[in-house]
Every structure is written in C-alpha cells, then in structure tokens.
Amino acid sequence: MALLISSIVFIWITLSGYGTEGSKESIEQSLINDLLKGYNKDAHPIPEQNKSQYMVTFGLELVQLVNVDDKNQIITTNVWVRQKWRNLLLTWDPEKYGGIKRVRINPSLIWIPDIVLYNSADSEFSGGLEKYKTRVIIDYDGINAWYSPASFRSTCPIDVTHFPFDKQTCTMKFGSWTFEVVDLDIHADVSPLHSTQYVKSAEWDLLAASKKRNVQRYACCDYPFSDVTIEFVFKRKPLFYIFNLIVPCMIIMSMVLLGFFLPPESGERITLSITVLLAMAVFLQLAAENLPRNSENVPVMGIFYITVMIEVASSLVATCYILHIHHRNSGTALVPVPGWVKVYMLNKLGKCLGVKKPVTEDKYDLSAEMDFKKISMMKRELNKCDNGSNHIRTKLLPDKLQIGTRSTLSSPEEFCMSSSTNSVVSTFQKMDTPQGRNDHRNGDSNSAKTAQGVMVMVDSIKRRRQIEKNQEEWRHLAMVLDRLFFWIFVVIILLSTIIVLRRGV
C-alpha cells in the first residue's frame, strides 16, 4: 500500500513539473505569435503620429584590418556592427507573459533598416539579411538591437607617395539606401571604434579612428540622407620593406665603391661595374612586384631605385674615364700632363686625399736632369770622335769601362754602359783591346758608324725616359681621380639615401 502511494506521488510531481516547463515555453511561443499576428514587416515601425521620434543608432567596432590592396585601392576589414532602433509595433506587457522582457527573432520576420556600406567594393550586398546572419534582440518596450560580425571590402584612395613610410586615411560610409532623413535619421552611437578585441596587423598600425554623422543631399531625391562616416588612419610598418628592398639595394650599390680600389692593370674594373649594374636591374625587377602599381604618384621607393641606378651608371662612366687617363700615354706618342693639373690635382689635391707619388717617379725626378746633361756632353764628345780626335776617343774609352750599377751617372761612359744595350757595350769593349785599336786605325769609317749608333741609342734612351716619366704622371693622376671619385660617390650615396628616405619619413 505504501509503495502504491509513493508511485502516485512521484507521477504527480513529474507531471506537475512537466506541465510547468511546458507552460513557460508556451508563454514565449504565444508571445511571439501575438507579436507577429497581423504584423507586416514592410510597414514603417512607428505610427504616423510618432514618426518624428524615429531614429536608428549605428555603431561599428574594428576587429581586424585584413588587407590593403594598393593596386586596386581596396581595404578588407573584419568588424562588429551594432544597430539599435525602436519598433513601437513590437511591444508587450511582461506581466501578461510570465515576466518575459526579451525575445530573439529571425530578422527576416520583422522590419530592419536597410543600412548599407556606400563605398562598398564587394560584389555582394553590403548590408541587411545578405550581410548579417544573427537574430534581432527585441525588448518589451520596442527597442530592437541587431549585433552581427561582418567582413567588408571598401574603397579607399591609397596615396603611395611616401611608400613604404606612408599613412593612409580610409573611410567607411554607412547609411540607408531608401529612407530619407525625414523617415529614418541615423546617428552614431557612443561605443568605441576599437578595443582589446582588435587584432593587430603585421603590416599596418592603427593610429586613430573617429566617426561622425553627415547629412547629404543627392540628385535622386527631394530630401537629404543621413549617414555615419567612420574614419581610420593607418600607418605602414616599414621594417619588411627596409629589410628586403632597401638594405639589399644598399649592399649592391656599395659594391660600386670597391671598383675604385681595384688596380687598373687587373682588367676587372669594367666587369665589376657592369655586373653591379646588371644585378641592380635584376633586383629592381624582383622588387617591382612589391611596389604599389600607381601612376598618379611616384613612390619614394621608386625615386630611391632610380637614384641608385643613376649612381651605378655614373660610377661606370667614371671608371671608364679613369682607365682612359691611366692608359693615356701607353703608346710612343708623348702627351704631357697640363701644368695646372700637376699643380692642383697631383700636388695639392693628391696630398689632401693621401695619394702618394709612385716610387719610380721619385728616381726620375732625382736623376733625370743630370742624366740628360751628360747625354748632351756625350753627343759633343762623339762628334769630336767623328772628326778623328784620338785623344777624345781615348777619353771615351777608359780602362775602367764596365756596366754601371749606380742609380745616377758620373760620366758619359757609365751612361753608355748603363743603357743596357749589349751591342754598344760589345763595340766599346772591342775598341778598347789592341786588336780593336788596330782595326780602328785601319778603318775610320767603322768608328763614325759606331759613334752615330751611340747617338741614336742615347736619343732613344732619353725619349724612353721621358715617356716613362710621362706615363707615371698620368698613372698618378688616375690614382688621384680614383680616390677623388671614391669620396664623391660616398658622399653622393649617403646624401641621396638620407634625402630620399627623409622625404618618405
């Protein structure tokens, strides 16, 4: 008997609880049915007598800047959209419906404002049911709130003048597409445009964000339209472009400076300059893919690359000119260095740049005048030999005649022996022997020919000495120009880089 009573009580409690839960669900269901009974979602949400009180507040919070398309001038953003309005046709008394003060309804069943993004670049509709998929929250007093995440592609004029140190100001304009300001007045809410939910971009920094309400008249309609314009200011992070575009370009350009330290005899200076120029051209082709394609303004990076190309090409021209100066007097023709070049370039400028004279040139400076004087004396003595003066012939051929080893000549005989001409040496040696003197007495014509050959050899040595000295002067001038162009290009490269990059910053 007790077991039967317990079973009856349990069943009664269970049925009572079930009935209570079912009653609650039926209350909300009946509430929604009552709200939508006879309701037309296309009707204006406020009666005619209260139309002046109708207003929609619009808010937006930036969550992420996804992409900035410089070429097409389009930005892609992820945002949270917040819309609020009052629908007096959807109100109820909570006491009549079990204290329910809020319901959530599919937006396709009620009236919603047709607020869209005016400057949308998306092929899909930028508002309404096509963009927002969440439910509308309805309070008992008629306040409707529609919160939804969305992704927008909007147009934005991109100014690449200071790329990659540029700042971009982009706007997103939201407004009703069919309701004029007399029917629907849009205001901006007071919520912040970004918060801790904002995901920082790897390429852009968000500097500022603001919003304001605008009223603008269009040619289509009699009354103006109201909108909420949201403005974002972004600054590009230049580290990627500095590391991948500017630094490699500077390294390639610095190779040009090394060309001024290569000796001209190596024959690799032109090759190095041309190789650097070709490497820069290839690098520019690769870097052009990262540059914004915009014909309205020339970016700072483009000016930087053009400047680098001009500097590399100029270094090639300077290298060719220096090589021309280095080999200026390489033939038999004697091309003297102008006097003003010796004074200002070789002496003054060379000392300022720390360019020392070649060692061989110092030897020529010390002994050239003395040697040339003794050459002239040798000619006079040989002319006397041709006239048959035996004592002069004997003077010219002393017993100590041998190949000289000193850097300067103390007598005409030593000069002849230091000329490194084996034919003249052998001739004088034969003349110094008894057999040679006997042969010389038997044929004065051979002596005249020998004297004439010595004079020709002396003239040749003198001219060769002058050509060698002149060659050393031209080579010295090439060394001075090498050092001069090196410092000129160092200054030009530094100044151009600083000026161009400071213009961007």
Side-chain angles (χ1 to χ4, degrees):
M1 186 66 180
L3 180 62
L4 179 60
I5 296 173
S6 300
S7 300
I8 294 173
V9 172
F10 177 76
I11 294 172
W12 179 78
I13 295 173
T14 304
L15 292 176
S16 299
Y18 178 78
T20 303
E21 184 178 358
S23 176
K24 289 183 179 179
E25 289 183 354
S26 64
I27 292 175
E28 185 176 358
Q29 185 176 1
S30 62
L31 171 60
I32 296 175
N33 291 334
D34 292 342
L35 289 176
L36 299 179
K37 183 183 298 184
Y39 178 78
N40 189 347
K41 64 179 181 180
D42 295 325
H44 201 281
I46 294 182
E48 292 295 332
Q49 63 272 16
N50 298 324
K51 182 176 288 188
S52 60
Q53 302 176 3
Y54 182 55
M55 182 179 65
V56 175
T57 60
F58 182 87
L60 181 143
E61 180 177 340
L62 180 64
V63 178
Q64 184 182 12
L65 176 64
V66 180
N67 183 39
V68 177
D69 190 349
D70 299 317
K71 176 183 177 182
N72 298 315
Q73 299 191 7
I74 295 175
I75 64 170
T76 304
T77 54
N78 290 336
V79 299
W80 291 347
V81 178
R82 303 184 180 97
Q83 302 179 68
K84 282 187 178 183
W85 65 92
R86 190 172 186 180
N87 192 337
L88 296 180
L89 302 179
L90 297 176
T91 60
W92 71 90
D93 186 1
E95 295 180 357
K96 294 181 180 181
Y97 294 95
I100 298 176
K101 296 182 178 181
R102 176 174 293 180
V103 293
R104 294 159 183 84
I105 299 179
N106 192 321
S108 61
L109 301 176
I110 62 175
W111 181 91
I112 55 175
D114 60 341
I115 297 177
V116 297
L117 177 63
Y118 277 18
N119 57 330
S120 174
D122 206 339
S123 58
E124 299 179 356
F125 196 67
S126 59
L129 298 175
E130 290 80 0
K131 178 63 68 172
Y132 313 124
K133 305 298 182 181
T134 58
R135 294 177 177 270
V136 178
I137 303 173
I138 303 177
D139 291 334
Y140 71 95
D141 56 356
I143 299 298
N144 295 5
W146 196 10
Y147 305 140
S148 177
S151 178
F152 290 104
R153 296 180 73 245
S154 58
T155 59
C156 177
I158 305 296
D159 185 7
V160 297
T161 303
H162 302 284
F163 175 85
F165 308 98
D166 53 331
K167 296 180 182 179
Q168 304 298 335
T169 301
C170 299
T171 59
M172 300 177 69
K173 185 176 181 180
F174 291 90
S176 174
W177 198 255
T178 58
F179 289 95
E180 299 168 335
V181 68
V182 295
D183 297 324
L184 189 150
D185 192 7
I186 303 175
H187 288 261
D189 65 357
V190 295
S191 61
L193 288 173
H194 62 91
S195 63
T196 56
Q197 304 298 327
Y198 175 71
V199 179
K200 294 184 179 180
S201 173
E203 186 179 357
W204 297 88
D205 283 329
L206 178 62
L207 299 183
S210 61
K211 54 187 173 182
K212 63 179 180 178
R213 173 181 176 270
N214 299 315
V215 177
Q216 186 175 355
R217 186 180 295 275
Y218 298 92
C220 65
C221 307
D222 297 332
Y223 296 96
F225 287 77
S226 61
D227 63 77
V228 174
T229 301
I230 301 173
E231 182 179 274
F232 299 105
V233 180
F234 300 102
K235 178 178 176 58
R236 194 191 303 267
K237 297 179 180 179
L239 180 61
F240 172 82
Y241 300 96
I242 292 175
F243 188 77
N244 292 279
L245 298 183
I246 297 179
V247 174
C249 183
M250 295 295 295
I251 294 175
I252 295 175
M253 185 171 55
S254 63
M255 297 296 103
V256 175
L257 302 177
L258 298 179
F260 295 106
F261 289 96
L262 285 177
E265 294 82 3
S266 64
E268 299 294 333
R269 301 188 63 170
I270 298 296
T271 304
L272 177 62
S273 299
I274 294 177
T275 303
V276 172
L277 188 61
L278 293 177
M280 183 61 66
V282 174
F283 179 76
L284 290 182
Q285 293 296 326
L286 298 176
E289 299 178 359
N290 294 320
L291 294 177
R293 300 179 182 180
N294 193 315
S295 298
E296 296 180 357
N297 301 306
V298 179
V300 173
M301 187 66 69
I303 298 176
F304 174 72
Y305 283 145
I306 293 175
T307 305
V308 169
M309 289 292 291
I310 294 175
E311 291 170 354
V312 173
S314 302
S315 69
L316 179 60
V317 174
T319 301
C320 294
Y321 179 72
I322 292 172
L323 292 178
H324 172 71
I325 295 296
H326 180 81
H327 300 285
R328 182 67 180 272
N329 198 19
S330 59
T332 57
L334 184 62
V335 182
V337 179
W340 66 270
V341 175
K342 293 181 180 180
V343 175
Y344 294 103
M345 298 293 292
L346 298 184
N347 296 332
K348 296 183 178 180
L349 185 60
K351 292 180 180 179
C352 294
L353 297 176
V355 180
K356 297 181 180 180
K357 295 182 180 180
V359 179
T360 54
E361 187 175 355
D362 296 338
K363 180 182 70 176
Y364 292 146
D365 291 341
L366 294 175
S367 61
E369 295 296 331
M370 185 181 297
D371 290 346
F372 292 155
K373 291 181 180 179
K374 293 183 178 181
I375 288 172
S376 301
M377 185 176 65
M378 175 70 76
K379 288 183 179 181
R380 289 194 300 268
E381 298 295 336
L382 289 176
N383 289 331
K384 293 180 181 180
C385 291
D386 292 339
N387 294 329
S389 178
N390 293 331
H391 69 280
I392 295 298
R393 186 182 300 110
T394 303
K395 181 179 178 182
L396 287 172
L397 302 174
D399 294 336
K400 64 177 182 178
L401 186 60
Q402 59 183 355
I403 297 177
T405 59
R406 291 175 294 176
S407 62
T408 58
L409 303 177
S410 59
S411 64
E413 297 86 345
E414 292 183 1
F415 173 80
C416 292
M417 298 309 297
S418 65
S419 62
S420 301
T421 55
N422 296 330
S423 60
V424 178
V425 172
S426 60
T427 302
F428 280 133
Q429 288 176 347
K430 290 179 180 180
M431 291 174 61
D432 195 34
T433 58
Q435 182 66 30
R437 287 192 296 268
N438 187 25
D439 293 340
H440 181 70
R441 294 188 186 96
N442 294 331
D444 292 337
S445 61
N446 292 334
S447 176
K449 292 180 180 180
T450 301
Q452 185 177 2
V454 171
M455 293 176 63
V456 172
M457 185 62 65
V458 168
D459 291 337
S460 177
I461 293 172
K462 178 181 178 181
R463 182 171 182 80
R464 187 171 67 251
R465 178 69 62 84
Q466 292 176 346
I467 292 176
E468 291 177 355
K469 180 181 179 181
N470 187 255
Q471 288 177 348
E472 293 299 329
E473 290 180 349
W474 284 111
R475 292 172 184 173
H476 185 206
L477 178 60
M479 294 171 61
V480 174
L481 291 177
D482 260 333
R483 190 66 58 83
L484 176 63
F485 280 120
F486 169 78
W487 288 111
I488 288 176
F489 275 94
V490 168
V491 174
I492 290 176
I493 290 173
L494 292 178
L495 288 180
S496 61
T497 303
I498 293 173
I499 292 174
V500 173
L501 296 183
R502 278 183 61 87
R503 179 184 175 184
V505 176

